[in-house]
Amino acid sequence: MSDTYREMWRELNMDLEKHDVFLGTLPVAFGEVFLRQDNRPAGMAYFDNALAEAHGGRIQEILAGKKAGRMVAGTFCVFAPEELVFAVDGISIGLCGGAQFTVPTGEQVLPRNLCPLIKSAMGFKLDRICPYFQAVDFLIGETTCDGKKKTWEILNEYVPTYVMELPQKKGAADLVLWEGEIHRLKEEIERRSGREITADRLASGIKMANARRDALARLYRARRADPVPISGKDALLISQLAFFDDPERFTAQVNSLCDELEERIARGEGVTRKGAPRILVTGTPMALPYWKLHHLVETAGAVIVGEETCTGTRYFAGRVAEDGQTVEDQVKDLARRLTAINCACFTPNKDRVEDILRLVRDARADGAIYFSLQFCQPFGVEGRLVERALQEAGVPVLRLESDYSEEDAAQLKTRIEAFLEMIAS
Amino acid sequence: MSLTAGVDIGSLTTKAVVVRDGRMAGAAVLRSGVDSAGIAEKALQEALEQAGAGAESLDGIVATGYGRIRVPFAQRRVTEITCHARGIYHLWPEVRTVIDIGGQDSKVILLDAGGKVRDFVMNEKCAAGTGRFLEVMAGALDVPVEEMGAFSQQAGQGASISSMCTVFAESEVVSLVAEGRPVAEIIRGLHNAVAQRVVAMAQRVGWEEPVAMTGGVAKNPGVVKSLEETLGTSIRVPPDPQIIGALGAALLAIG
């Protein structure tokens, strides 16, 4: 790592020694998981580099923006209306929360029987090894689950955390509540950035977020081909980086990768043989740098052709209407996105089952893996209904629960291989 | 004539079976160890000796179990789920549910009429309800693990064991001993606890009759009895339930 970066991290008040240990583990993991894949698309080079520079070049960029007066907001959830941040030319970044490394520290202030995503995120802040956490002006939390909701109160002691109340149903009254929450966040962002959110500015924010959604939807369409032109691991990495990268540059890069993938499809070229078992993953988010499940599945000879997760289709679900003329209308349009994202925090959540069945059909999946992080109540409980619906539709389904540690890798591997043997027979 | 072998490296034991013309011709069970490849080879040697054959005449070897990747001489690796299903199908083609309790996990496997795996479920990442769980408890009670079954049958009722976590259940057992509860009742309670755990998995996957049981824990008649009582059906146990995975592997190595 260059001295410039070290100086930058020091200025961000990071724990340099711990950060060195953390970063030291990543190149090995990345090499094993990603670089050994056959026939990777050339366009992945940009994303490999984006990951390599996640704690370096990208932070430099963000700090330069901050110096120039741009507001920096951290988010945790696909419901955070980033359009409002974009509207004030602010920087919106998703936060770190996918590593076992910080879980023990998170457990110093949080219960052990809490989902690893929350514990890891908290640990990143307490350990001071996430430069994003150190660079943000404030965080936008939401009440998707009890674990997160109560964690914001503790996190707020370390970094200002603004909490949006996310409704748990999708009725008219819930939309009114959410619309109000977006208005209140708008005021908070205006206050913090010192810029007014006008209809013009919000319109360009909406366009920017939509363009990113469109690019990711295009990437997912490319994954329907057999042989599949890109591995599930690479597609997951792209989804994970969507939370961190500059949105316009990211969108352009995803689109140019899609050009390459579409050419591959036209040539019948893929990363696996035609007819390789195709798996749809559905369940909880997989935050950077969590690649365990994808790596196990793809090492076993199958390919993941889609993720119905927050680091998958739920991230780009709900294109926002672009024809709103007034801020009032635009906020209404933003609020409506709530109805398009089928997260297990809602009750009932029947549309998620429809989404999964549609994705299985579209992606021509041979089976589905229902993946839930340990102690995630909403997704853990909802698994029963999804599992039954898939079985009724004749789709083989494997339920897995895991965390960020590697200790259950052998058990998961056995289940995954047995599932693939079952599908193949 | 065909001669094939299956090697099953489990967390506690390593099993080898040799099959000649579709019939079992030799079998061996050894304790697993650090040198898994060496132990696998030794088990295979023993099974081959029983079959009166040499390694050079083998047409194929399939490895299964946790150590399946560490069997350098196997041509193919198949999970123990598929192998247990295949082994039981060979013995009793009418069986629809296999309960396999091994050293570090328990599984419930559903078979279709052709002996294929229709669905399966396995315990989550801990030793609750496994052979390892019983081994730890046998240690805490100072009873040889192979005598637990006989002990439990002396008890009129089982002590109530509320925790299925190996760590917590061990301290629960220690307190029951301190309270003066008869060892037989405690063991029966442990067997009931394992049975409840496994039956919950069986219900989840939708088990059907007839039911067979494989894996080392099937050698414990106390667990089998508790399972039969909880499920409300009789359970078939092969003469040597530990080797069914290796038998299935050897059968899968044919052609």
Side-chain angles (χ1 to χ4, degrees):
Chain A
M1 251 352 121
S2 78
D3 289 344
T4 336
Y5 289 168
R6 290 196 79 79
E7 198 39 51
M8 174 176 81
W9 294 331
R10 193 172 288 119
E11 277 170 24
L12 283 171
N13 188 28
M14 290 174 65
D15 182 334
L16 291 185
E17 275 173 38
K18 213 168 224 177
H19 187 237
D20 284 347
V21 179
F22 173 64
L23 282 194
T25 61
L26 289 183
V28 183
F30 183 75
E32 252 171 50
V33 176
F34 289 94
L35 302 181
R36 284 191 201 163
Q37 300 178 95
D38 290 332
N39 200 21
R40 287 183 87 204
M44 281 311 295
Y46 169 79
F47 301 98
D48 288 351
N49 186 58
L51 181 72
E53 290 295 333
H55 280 206
R58 177 66 183 136
I59 299 298
Q60 231 169 12
E61 219 173 56
I62 289 170
L63 292 178
K66 208 174 161 172
K67 213 172 219 169
R70 296 177 72 187
M71 179 195 77
V72 184
T75 65
F76 286 98
C77 181
V78 302
F79 288 108
E82 291 180 287
E83 292 86 346
L84 295 173
V85 180
F86 299 152
V88 297
D89 191 30
I91 298 170
S92 169
I93 39 182
L95 286 162
C96 311
Q100 177 63 26
F101 190 83
T102 57
V103 167
T105 310
E107 286 175 351
Q108 289 172 12
V109 295
L110 296 171
R112 291 193 55 155
N113 57 348
L114 190 66
C115 103
L117 181 70
I118 302 176
K119 289 189 290 194
S120 170
M122 179 60 98
F124 269 111
K125 179 62 211 170
L126 296 181
D127 276 339
R128 292 181 289 120
I129 60 168
C130 171
Y132 295 93
F133 251 125
Q134 302 303 105
V136 291
D137 293 314
F138 78 118
L139 304 179
I140 303 170
E142 41 13 81
T143 57
T144 32
C145 68
D146 290 351
K148 280 166 118 187
K149 183 169 83 184
K150 299 309 287 181
T151 297
W152 307 145
E153 296 169 24
I154 301 175
L155 194 58
N156 190 46
E157 294 173 7
Y158 301 90
V159 48
T161 307
Y162 180 93
V163 181
M164 298 183 79
E165 184 178 353
L166 186 82
Q168 313 267 285
K169 294 179 89 175
K170 291 182 176 179
D174 304 293
L175 270 171
V176 171
L177 167 65
W178 188 233
E179 202 183 311
E181 285 295 288
I182 295 176
H183 269 294
R184 286 182 279 279
L185 178 69
K186 173 183 159 282
E187 283 161 25
E188 175 75 7
I189 288 174
E190 287 177 326
R191 187 182 68 76
R192 285 188 172 273
S193 67
R195 290 185 202 198
E196 193 198 341
I197 297 180
T198 61
D200 279 353
R201 285 174 178 168
L202 189 47
S204 64
I206 290 171
K207 280 202 178 100
M208 197 190 285
N210 275 344
R212 186 170 60 185
R213 290 182 188 120
D214 294 345
L216 287 167
R218 186 180 166 199
L219 172 66
Y220 269 60
R221 278 196 300 277
R223 297 171 74 188
R224 295 176 186 172
D226 185 19
V228 64
I230 182 168
S231 70
K233 286 194 271 198
D234 281 338
L236 173 65
L237 178 64
I238 294 170
S239 290
Q240 291 171 331
L241 287 167
F243 288 84
F244 294 91
D245 204 1
D246 174 81
E248 286 182 308
R249 185 177 56 211
F250 174 85
T251 300
Q253 290 292 338
V254 173
N255 276 320
S256 88
L257 174 75
C258 287
D259 292 341
E260 182 189 352
L261 299 183
E262 285 158 14
E263 284 163 24
R264 280 186 162 203
I265 296 168
R267 287 197 302 271
E269 184 186 338
V271 291
T272 56
R273 66 182 166 83
K274 194 173 159 64
R278 303 164 66 85
I279 303 295
L280 179 84
V281 170
T282 172
T284 46
M286 297 180 182
L288 204 65
Y290 183 83
W291 307 307
K292 181 164 121 183
L293 179 72
H294 279 58
H295 187 50
L296 285 170
V297 171
E298 298 201 329
T299 312
V303 63
I304 291 176
V305 290
E307 296 83 18
E308 192 276 325
T309 67
C310 309
T311 40
T313 53
R314 284 198 294 272
Y315 181 73
F316 58 82
R319 211 175 183 285
V320 178
E322 293 183 355
D323 56 359
Q325 297 300 313
T326 62
V327 172
E328 209 56 37
D329 286 346
Q330 290 167 322
V331 168
K332 267 196 175 59
D333 293 336
L334 286 174
R336 238 172 254 130
R337 203 169 150 256
L338 181 90
T339 59
I341 302 173
N342 299 315
C343 167
C345 68
F346 293 109
T347 183
N349 192 30
K350 289 194 175 122
D351 288 350
R352 177 165 169 235
V353 173
E354 296 307 313
D355 281 349
I356 296 169
L357 292 172
R358 180 176 44 78
L359 288 164
V360 164
R361 268 196 312 273
D362 287 351
R364 292 183 275 174
D366 299 303
I369 293 181
Y370 193 99
F371 177 80
S372 184
L373 284 170
Q374 227 178 0
F375 308 119
C376 174
Q377 289 180 337
F379 281 98
V381 175
E382 197 164 275
R384 171 80 185 162
L385 302 176
V386 174
E387 187 180 23
R388 212 173 47 202
L390 283 165
Q391 279 164 348
E392 279 166 11
V395 180
V397 54
L398 173 68
R399 276 188 77 172
L400 296 178
E401 188 182 280
S402 185
D403 58 14
Y404 295 158
S405 71
E406 283 298 323
E407 62 196 43
D408 61 347
Q411 274 169 306
L412 291 177
K413 189 172 151 68
T414 297
R415 270 172 240 209
I416 290 163
E417 287 180 5
F419 184 60
L420 297 177
E421 286 164 4
M422 187 178 102
I423 287 174
S425 73
Chain B
M1 193 192 107
S2 88
L3 190 77
T4 56
V7 182
D8 177 1
I9 305 190
S11 61
L12 297 179
T13 54
T14 294
K15 286 78 64 174
V17 164
V18 170
V19 165
R20 182 182 283 121
D21 295 329
R23 296 178 66 91
M24 192 163 87
V29 179
L30 296 176
R31 189 89 190 166
S32 292
V34 184
D35 174 22
S36 44
I39 291 166
E41 199 164 352
K42 208 169 148 216
L44 179 60
Q45 271 313 322
E46 279 186 28
L48 279 166
E49 271 165 39
Q50 274 183 33
E56 68 292 340
S57 46
L58 280 173
D59 300 314
I61 304 172
V62 165
T64 187
Y66 271 103
R68 62 187 176 278
I69 48 163
R70 292 190 291 274
V71 184
F73 49 84
Q75 281 89 46
R76 206 151 64 87
R77 282 152 194 93
V78 179
T79 63
E80 50 271 38
I81 291 151
T82 302
C83 288
H84 278 272
R86 183 67 188 87
I88 282 293
Y89 180 71
H90 176 75
L91 298 178
W92 298 305
E94 63 279 16
V95 163
R96 289 294 169 269
T97 303
V98 178
I99 294 173
D100 166 43
I101 310 186
Q104 68 175 9
D105 48 37
S106 37
K107 320 173 181 74
V108 180
I109 308 163
L110 300 191
L111 310 188
D112 68 14
K116 302 276 188 222
V117 176
R118 191 159 64 79
D119 206 351
F120 66 93
V121 61
M122 266 169 91
N123 64 316
E124 296 303 337
K125 49 176 266 183
C126 74
T130 66
R132 183 74 201 149
F133 172 81
L134 290 171
E135 228 182 44
V136 170
M137 298 310 147
L141 289 165
D142 209 12
V143 169
V145 71
E146 52 282 355
E147 286 172 28
M148 287 180 97
F151 256 99
S152 69
Q153 297 190 352
Q154 298 163 11
Q157 53 167 346
S160 150
I161 308 283
S162 56
S163 180
M164 252 287 105
C165 167
T166 309
V167 179
F168 292 125
E170 192 177 1
S171 50
E172 215 175 329
V173 161
V174 171
S175 354
L176 286 167
V177 171
E179 280 168 28
R181 283 297 287 268
V183 171
E185 287 186 13
I186 301 175
I187 294 177
R188 183 148 177 197
L190 288 165
H191 292 164
N192 288 342
V194 169
Q196 276 161 20
R197 178 90 175 196
V198 173
V199 168
M201 284 166 46
Q203 300 287 17
R204 208 173 103 189
V205 77
W207 68 280
E208 285 172 20
E209 292 179 308
V211 180
M213 187 172 168
T214 62
V217 175
K219 295 202 308 198
N220 177 332
V223 174
V224 178
K225 187 162 172 257
S226 289
L227 274 168
E228 287 181 327
E229 284 170 4
T230 320
L231 277 178
T233 188
S234 64
I235 295 175
R236 302 182 194 194
V237 180
D240 197 347
Q242 247 176 319
I243 61 163
I244 301 305
L247 171 66
L251 292 165
L252 287 167
I254 303 173

